[in-house]
Amino acid sequence: MVETKGARTRLRLAESMLELIQRHGYSGTGLNTVVEHSGAPKGSLYFHFPQGKEALGEKAVELAAARFGSLVADSAPASAAPADVLRHVIDELAKMLEGSDFQLGCPVSVVTLEMGAQSERLRDACADAFESWIEPVSELLVSHGRPRPDARALATAMVSMVEGAVIVSRAQRSTEPLRCAAQAIAVLLEPATEASA
């Protein structure tokens, strides 16, 4: 499929919003800064996002959700054990944190914390993003022998643990919290490994 110039501009604006949210938060990201950062024509923001900052923030959250979902999918070949998949995902997140000097965090958690009580639109976008991560992890666990209700609960706990570990890693400027999360997840997954052996 050939992307139009308009589609490329819309994506560029969303990518800039995403990166700026990661660095400065949602509230700390102004629309003029997004336009400048993206290099898009000034009039293009309201052309592509006529509902303004919330619509652009929603698109940035959707983009973040898709990228993390792709990371999980790319880490999960059919034969991979769930613990190995999550370990790979956590390794990639640790590289991202270190590569950004602990400046980039999860934009979905940032938007949730800042805007969850103020904007139903953004709260819903964040809830959908988290769900888009929980569901494939849950399905991975089911495919390795976990009963579906247990898999859902465990997937929710794992995504929550990783999200919290990213926040603590940024605060401590260390990937150690992420490494601890990986170890704890491996322990949580041990019964599934034994059950499917």
Side-chain angles (χ1 to χ4, degrees):
M1 186 174 76
V2 178
E3 263 192 352
T4 65
K5 181 179 177 185
R8 287 193 301 271
T9 300
R10 181 178 168 83
L11 178 60
R12 204 160 74 234
L13 286 163
E15 287 174 336
S16 288
M17 183 68 169
L18 174 57
E19 184 177 334
L20 291 167
I21 288 172
Q22 286 180 289
R23 291 188 180 277
H24 307 295
Y26 179 84
S27 299
T29 299
L31 292 180
N32 288 337
T33 307
V34 174
V35 171
E36 183 181 325
H37 183 271
S38 70
K42 286 196 174 187
S44 63
L45 191 140
Y46 284 103
F47 176 80
H48 292 290
F49 297 96
Q51 295 173 311
K53 186 175 179 180
E54 277 194 11
L56 182 56
E58 180 182 42
K59 185 65 179 174
V61 167
E62 290 171 2
L63 186 59
R67 287 183 176 171
F68 187 80
S70 294
L71 173 59
V72 173
D74 293 346
S75 302
S79 61
D84 293 335
V85 172
L86 270 296
R87 191 176 301 109
H88 183 264
V89 168
I90 288 171
D91 285 345
E92 291 301 311
L93 292 174
K95 286 178 195 171
M96 179 203 73
L97 282 172
E98 289 177 323
S100 71
D101 193 29
F102 297 91
Q103 296 303 303
L104 298 182
C106 175
V108 180
S109 61
V110 170
V111 174
T112 301
L113 291 169
E114 287 187 32
M115 299 302 296
Q118 298 174 41
S119 167
E120 186 173 348
R121 179 178 191 163
L122 290 173
R123 185 194 60 74
D124 287 346
C126 292
D128 290 345
F130 288 127
E131 179 59 29
S132 77
W133 304 340
I134 291 167
E135 181 60 24
V137 174
S138 177
E139 289 302 314
L140 177 65
L141 294 171
V142 167
S143 74
H144 282 264
R146 285 275 183 178
R148 193 166 293 279
D150 292 349
R152 171 76 190 186
L154 188 52
T156 302
M158 289 192 299
V159 169
S160 301
M161 193 181 304
V162 171
E163 280 294 297
V166 168
I167 292 169
V168 178
S169 287
R170 287 188 75 192
Q172 294 182 352
R173 295 181 59 79
S174 165
T175 59
E176 185 62 21
L178 272 170
R179 305 298 178 200
C180 292
Q183 291 173 1
I185 288 170
V187 171
L188 288 173
L189 291 173
E190 278 175 7
T193 303
E194 290 167 8
S196 61

